[in-house]
Every structure is written in C-alpha cells, then in structure tokens.
Amino acid sequence: MPRRAAQGLLVGLLLSAPALQAQDAAGYQTPPKALADLVNVPPTPTVSVTSKGDYLLIMERAANPTIAELSQPELRLAGLRINPANNGPSRVSYINGLKLKKLSGKEEVAIKGMPAEPRISYVQWSPDETQIAFAHSTDNKIELYVADVASATARRVTDLALNAAYGVPFRWVSDSKSLVAKTMPAGRGPAPAENRVPTGPAVQENRGTKAQAATYQDLLKNPSDEKIFEYHATAQVVRLGLDGSVQAIGQPGMVQDASPSPDGRFVLVETSHRPFSYLVPVYRFPLKSDVYAITGTLVKTLHDSPLQENIPWGPDAVQTGPRNYEWRADAPATITYVEAQDGGDPKRKVDVRDKVFRLEAPFTAQPKEIYAAANRFTGFEWGNETTAIATERWWLTRKSVTRLVNPATWQATTLFDRSSEDRYGNPGQFDTRKNQYGREVLNILPNNDILMVNATGASPEGDRPFVGVLNLTTKQTRPLWRSEAPVFERPVAVLDAVKGLILTTRETPEENPNYYIRNLNAKKKVNPLTQVTAFPHPYPQLKGIQKQQLRYKRNDGVDLTATLYLPAGYKKENGPLPTFLWAYPAEFKSKDAAGQVSGSPYQFNRVYPMGAAIFAAMGYAVLDNASIPIVGEGDKEPNDTYVDQLVASAKAAIDEGVRLGVVDPSRVGVGGHSYGAFMTANLLSHSNLFRAGIARSGAYNRTLTPFGFQNEQRTYWQAPEVYNRMSPFMNADKMKTPLLLVHGEADNNTGTYPIQSERYYNALKGFGANTRLVFLPYESHGYTAKESLLHMLWEMNGWLDKYVRNADASTANKASTVGGSK
C-alpha cells in the first residue's frame, strides 16, 4: 500500500473510533480495526529440530480461545487449575497442526492420521528421533498419540486416558518403543460432589513455629476441597508399549512425576500425599520419592518429605532434608539429590550451603557426597565420565558461579564467577547433544572445546546474539560469530558443532523472523545462509511503524533505555505526538548493571495484544519497555527510595522524547501490567508527569503481601514505612489523575488477588478520583479469550483517546518539558 494511502487509512481509523462512554457499554466491545486485527491474526508457528539436524517439526498454533471455551468448568485446588471434564490443566495454548520438513528440502508435509479437531500439547521427540509423541485433549479425556516421522503418520496408542493434572503426563523410555505415562486409574468412579453442607469448621493451628508464606491463591479451603483434589490428582503410572502392551508400575497415587532412568530399567516416581495444607500449594505438600523397576515392582523408597509450611522466607531459602531427586543424564541409572547444610535458612552463617549426593543402581549402598556448594546449588549439566558443569547462585548478592567438575574425582574448578545482573558478561549456554539414552549432555568437541550459545547477547550496542567456543582446558573463550546490524539474528540450535552448522532466526524491523541454517565455517564470498522457512508477515497492515532505540540518563547518572515506536509515515515536522509510556520496573544491586542496554533496534516490530506498541498504529508515540531500574547498592535496599527512582526514570524517558521533538509533554499516558500496574498507580500518585494511566492486574496494597513482594525480602513489620509509601492504596487521597483499572476476575498470580483492584477502586472512588474498574470474566493474570482481548483494547483505546489525545490543554497537569512532582 502506498504511504499516502496508508496515512489516509490511519486517519480514517482514528475518526471512526467510537467515543468511550464509561457507563453505557453493554457486553463485549470491539476496538478499531487496527487493534482488532491484531487479536484475530493467526499466531506464527513454532518449530522443533532434531539433534541430528535432519528434520524440522513445524507446530501450528491455535488462535485465542473464545470466552465460551474459557468459561468451561474449572477446579482451583492446591495451586492447580484443573479441567474436571478431561483431568488436564484448564488453561492451555494448544497446537492445532503438525508438519514435518527435511532441512535439506523445501516441502512441508502435514502429518496424517491426526484427530479431526486437534488440540495438541506435550509434544516430545522419541530418544532415537524417529517418532513424535503428543497428547490430544478431547472434551472428556486426554489421549496419547505417536507419529512416525518416516511416513508422517500419527496414530492413537491406547484407549487409556492420561492424567495431566500435575502437568507432563508421559515420558519416553530410552528404547523408543515405550513410554512411561500417568493414566486415569481403572474403576475410579464418579468425582465426589462438592459438599455445600459443612461437617464442621475449617481449622488451622500453629504452635509457636514461624511460618512466613507468600499470598498464594487457589488453595484448599475445606475437607470437601481435599476430596475433590485427591480424586483428580490420583493417577496410575504405567509403561505403555507402542505394540499396545500395558504394565502397571506401583499403585495409584497423587503422582507429580514419573521419570524413567536413562537406561530404561527403572522409574523415579514422586507422589504427593496427606496431610494437605490450607496455607501453601501442592508443591509443598508431603512428597514421597520411590524407585520402581520398569516391570512395576518397588525397588527402594528414597525419602518421604514432610509438609513444607515452615520454610524460611526468601529466594535463597529451601526446605530441610533431601530435595530435587533426578537421574544423572550420562549414567545408566544413577540418582542425584541435594541437601541443605544451613537448615535451608539463608540467614545462617555457614561455609557450605548445599551438598549433592549420588546413589547408583541397585540403590542398596549409602549415598556418596559428590559436590559441596558455597551458595545454593542449582544443578548439573552432565557430559561424560570426566566432565560436568555445576552451577550455584546466591540471589541476595546476585552471585552466579559456574564450575567445571570431574566426575572421576569430583574435583571442581571455577569457570565463571559473576553477577547474574551483568547481562554483558553472560557467556551463554553450553551446547548439548543427545547421548545413547536420548538424554541431553554436554557436546564436548575433540580438543576439549564446547560451543557457547547466547540467544540474547546483551552489549553496549544493544542485543547482539552470538556463538563462541570455550576451551575447557585453558578456560579461555573466543568468538565464532555475532549478529550484525542491520539484521537481528538469533541462534536457536546447534545442528553440527564440528561442521559449524547452526539454526538461526533472522529478522529486521519490517521482516518477520524466519529460520535459516548458518555455516560458521563458510569461506569468504560463499553465502553462509540457507533459508529454511518462509512464514508470512503476521500483520502486513501494520508495516511502516517506525522503531528507534533510545539511550539517555537519569538525573542520578544511571543509563536508561527505551524503544520508541512512531506511526507509519510520521515526520518530526508534523509536530509532537500524544504519547503512551509502558514499563515494568526491575530491582538492581548495581548502578552499572541497571544501566546496561537491553533490546535491539533491528528486531522485528512485534506487536502483541497485551503490549503497548500497537498504539503507534493509533497515532501515538509509544515509549515501550522504558527502563525503570530501582537500585540499592551495598547495604541499601532498592525499595528504600523506590518512589524517587520511579519518578526520576519516567521523567527521564519523557524528557528524551521531548528532546527528540516527538513527545508532547502535556499529553502523556502511562501503563503497565502486574508490577507495571503497581508502577503506574504510584507514578500517578507521586508525580504530575501524566494525563492518565492504565493499570492491569496489579497489586496496590502491600499490607496484603506482608511477607515480601516482587524482590522485596523484608516483611511489613521490618519496613512498614517502605510498604506504606509504596502502596498506592495508602496514597489514594493523592490521586488526581484518571486511572483505568483492568483485572482478570480469576487471577491466580501470587499477590495480585482481584480484590487488590476492587479495594483500590473503592478507595479512589471515595476520594472522588476519575477512575474505572473493568473485571474480565474467567481471565487469569494474563488474558487469553478473544473477546477479553478485544474489549481490553477497546477500553485502553477509549481511555487514552479521551484523557490523553483529546485532553483539554487548559486543564492539563502543569507538566513542562522537564516534568514535575506532586
């Protein structure tokens, strides 16, 4: 479309946008076409590639569900959300089509034998990568299918229904001829009905033990809930042969996970059991860890962990006793687990925080200690008999340690000791390959080299993904390739480390991502790229939107960034625009880390219904992902000066837009989701920078999250002045700026109860603030139904149109080019 015609279309859209009548809207509303088309566009497929690099699996994704689908019955029990009709999760983004493509060819082949209306999830390659298993959800059961790659044909494996209440319901056995699955127990009978007549009060009691916990949601509340939860969580573990054979493993139980050993001789089964809790979700319930033979008999009970209601508070805190049982990927049948040496309490002063132990088949010997961590142990990446990688972290100091371990002697040397906040210094992820068991292990090259892949590649020039090579003998890293302007190219998978073949995606602001094979060893004058896919532009009607990466400073010297979107065809001589700032704050312990650049001006103009960039199509300048760092160096806590840093960061973004001549400082709106909503309410309460705000799914009263929130680790009783000053609810009397509140009425995110918006709205209304509260039926923390997304965009567009674009300049807040505080 010619640019002039596109500009005419934009003007037409703006003139046709309906005026917002706050109290007159009946039912779900639809926004202008430019916004509505974004919700209705088919999602771009995702892909999965074999480790051999011969086949690409293309997974076509279903569009947003309707509100009718979302309104189906749902159980909210013990922190889980379960579809009682088919015993799977109630909120799933399904795949609705599978295609196979040889990377060396051009043809995409649709897999035959699929269900009539596919609702696919849990897609897994077999260990030998000749087959693909997946679950298909019907209205009353979840079925197991397996597709043969050579013939591109799928078939249903069994009539048994899967139980996916806890998540992944099956895993391949290493022989690629069978799977271990969680199935519905035979003869389980009808579900217990909800008992609306209580047999007595629900009682909780604490006898002097500290039990600080987050504000979890969807918890069990009474004995009736317990019975219903137990019914739906109970599964029978079986071995399913592709020949139709079925072998039961153990007895039915509330099985969280069933994982076969690498050699396929054993199965690690982890089962929840009573007593339940009304204070914490299921992952803190008592958990029994057993090893069974693949033939079904119990070999050994490893541990029975008690109810975990009293774990110390904080991200560095863990349970006491053994935790995290898992199979060692490069051994036939060896289990490892971790045990805290500080009682799980990060406040204790000890030299060793965690120890790791191993137990080999037949599991009759005493466990052997193999690793001691000065910080909290986070995991092993296994390689071979002499090479493994161990990682540790300590959140309080943002410390991240990577160590090279020799499993023959268990000696360890440090590879990287860095701050997790330092994005520039991130060396990347270690390349892996599949071993003889089909498990991912370190892909160690002949010279003791290993490729390091960083799909973000943060740098002072913006994100530039890269591939390097680390020599495990010298500990030295050298670069092999890095994305270069004016294209953003991201490594997805290593196809052949020796030949230097990697799968990447390439994109520009105008060209959507597609997959390519890049030859890192290609000689000069030889095209190193082979295109693999040709996915069309998902929203060609939005082509022409302009994007620029901004860099500027806060008044205290901290470097900041934002992505500026401008309407198609806009020129600075057209004058400054009404502006929408969208952000999400982040805490840092270092000003240098807080000031590191994020994002790239060369990435595709991704526009999501839940984001803000789309409003450039409605004639706004959008300051997207504006960095709002909250810094507390040394002994200082970031939130001690939260409000001051918040206002200073927002002011700096507006000032930069004004300096560029694109932002009208008297017509700026602000918005955010979740912690960004909390930010929005605080900015409106403590500054005169904005004409209006949009806050979605936020928390506004921090006394309702008294044992910490976001990255604040102090309790309300330790820092009441911080909690009170940071709570918009406590400052409702200061609100003089129009605020739109949107919340999913079924929000299950920790801390963002829907009552947060309800009570905040009531407080604002009590002080006469101009505010509007929109509850979206059946929606959780993020919104998924097509009707909900369309209506949300209609609300946002109308609010910005009324209070920002068409604001009466004579009544504007006195926000000059440098802003101001209340």
Side-chain angles (χ1 to χ4, degrees), residues 94-115:
Y94 289 113
I95 296 163
N96 63 356
L98 297 175
K99 293 180 179 178
L100 283 166
K101 175 182 171 59
K102 288 186 176 180
L103 265 74
S104 59
K106 295 182 178 180
E107 185 181 8
E108 296 178 2
V109 179
I111 293 180
K112 303 180 291 292
M114 299 290 286

Side-chain angles (χ1 to χ4, degrees), residues 642-644 646-647 678-687 699-703 716 720-737 739 756 759-769 822:
Y642 170 85
V643 170
D644 298 328
L646 188 72
V647 173
F678 176 71
M679 168 207 75
T680 298
N682 268 305
L683 281 171
L684 299 190
S685 299
H686 298 289
S687 80
Y700 309 103
N701 183 350
R702 286 305 176 188
T703 69
Y716 173 77
E721 68 288 346
V722 172
Y723 277 68
N724 288 328
R725 187 169 190 231
M726 289 181 68
S727 293
F729 180 86
M730 306 302 185
N731 296 278
D733 59 328
K734 299 176 182 175
M735 179 65 73
K736 308 300 181 193
T737 310
L739 176 63
Q756 288 270 5
R759 291 291 181 254
Y760 186 40
Y761 171 78
N762 288 339
L764 293 176
K765 183 179 178 182
F767 284 106
K822 291 184 177 178

Side-chain angles (χ1 to χ4, degrees), residues 48-229:
S48 176
V49 65
T50 59
S51 63
K52 296 186 288 289
D54 52 353
Y55 274 98
L56 192 74
L57 176 66
I58 301 173
M59 295 169 279
E60 297 172 332
R61 296 183 291 159
N64 293 102
T66 65
I67 195 64
E69 295 174 81
L70 206 64
S71 64
Q72 295 301 305
E74 175 184 69
L75 299 175
R76 303 170 187 174
L77 301 169
L80 302 179
R81 292 198 166 180
I82 302 169
N83 180 345
N86 65 14
N87 229 92
S90 60
R91 297 169 183 268
V92 181
S93 178
Y94 289 113
I95 296 163
N96 63 356
L98 297 175
K99 293 180 179 178
L100 283 166
K101 175 182 171 59
K102 288 186 176 180
L103 265 74
S104 59
K106 295 182 178 180
E107 185 181 8
E108 296 178 2
V109 179
I111 293 180
K112 303 180 291 292
M114 299 290 286
E117 296 181 2
R119 290 189 290 177
I120 297 167
S121 56
Y122 306 117
V123 179
Q124 300 177 30
W125 290 96
S126 63
D128 63 6
E129 298 182 330
T130 64
Q131 300 168 97
I132 302 164
F134 59 89
H136 167 59
S137 295
T138 72
D139 290 339
N140 57 18
K141 66 187 298 188
I142 301 177
E143 303 172 325
L144 177 63
Y145 276 72
V146 169
D148 176 69
V149 172
S151 63
T153 303
R155 65 181 179 88
R156 192 174 65 181
V157 174
T158 177
D159 290 331
L160 292 175
L162 300 177
N163 187 330
Y166 276 116
V168 180
F170 61 84
R171 299 186 189 277
W172 281 100
V173 179
S174 57
D175 61 5
S176 294
K177 298 177 181 178
S178 58
L179 303 100
V180 169
K182 296 182 290 184
T183 63
M184 308 302 291
R188 72 171 184 162
E194 180 183 1
N195 184 2
R196 300 188 61 83
V197 180
T199 58
V203 177
Q204 300 183 61
E205 181 179 7
N206 185 64
R207 299 184 178 181
T209 302
K210 289 185 178 181
Q212 300 177 358
T215 50
Y216 299 113
Q217 304 199 44
D218 297 342
L219 300 178
L220 299 177
K221 297 179 179 66
N222 52 55
S224 178
D225 278 357
E226 294 185 37
K227 292 179 182 178
I228 296 171
F229 167 71

Side-chain angles (χ1 to χ4, degrees), residues 521-545:
N521 298 332
K523 297 180 180 179
K524 291 183 178 180
K525 298 184 179 181
V526 175
N527 184 2
L529 291 169
T530 303
Q531 187 166 353
V532 176
T533 64
F535 299 138
H537 196 296
Y539 22 81
Q541 72 278 12
L542 299 181
K543 280 188 174 182
I545 289 178

Side-chain angles (χ1 to χ4, degrees), residues 425-506:
N426 188 337
Q429 301 297 313
F430 296 94
D431 177 38
T432 62
R433 62 175 178 83
K434 282 191 174 181
N435 64 8
Q436 68 270 33
Y437 307 119
R439 303 296 176 98
E440 293 289 334
V441 296
L442 298 170
N443 188 15
I444 303 168
L445 301 177
N447 292 332
N448 212 24
D449 288 338
I450 187 166
L451 295 189
M452 303 292 292
V453 179
N454 191 317
T456 301
S459 78
E461 296 80 37
D463 291 348
R464 295 181 58 204
F466 64 82
V467 176
V469 61
L470 168 69
N471 184 274
L472 296 174
T473 302
T474 66
K475 316 292 193 300
Q476 298 299 306
T477 303
R478 60 183 174 88
L480 292 180
W481 165 85
R482 190 157 201 167
S483 178
E484 295 183 357
V487 172
F488 183 83
E489 188 171 358
R490 179 173 59 89
V492 175
V494 177
L495 304 178
D496 190 319
V498 175
K499 294 182 179 179
L501 300 179
I502 62 173
L503 185 70
T504 72
T505 60
R506 284 172 61 87

Side-chain angles (χ1 to χ4, degrees), residues 143 152 154 197 216 335 421 492 505 590 623 635 712 714 779:
E143 303 172 325
V197 180
Y216 299 113
I335 283 176
E421 293 182 337
V492 175
T505 60
S590 160
L623 292 166
D635 295 333
E712 174 58 62
R714 295 168 296 182
E779 293 292 355

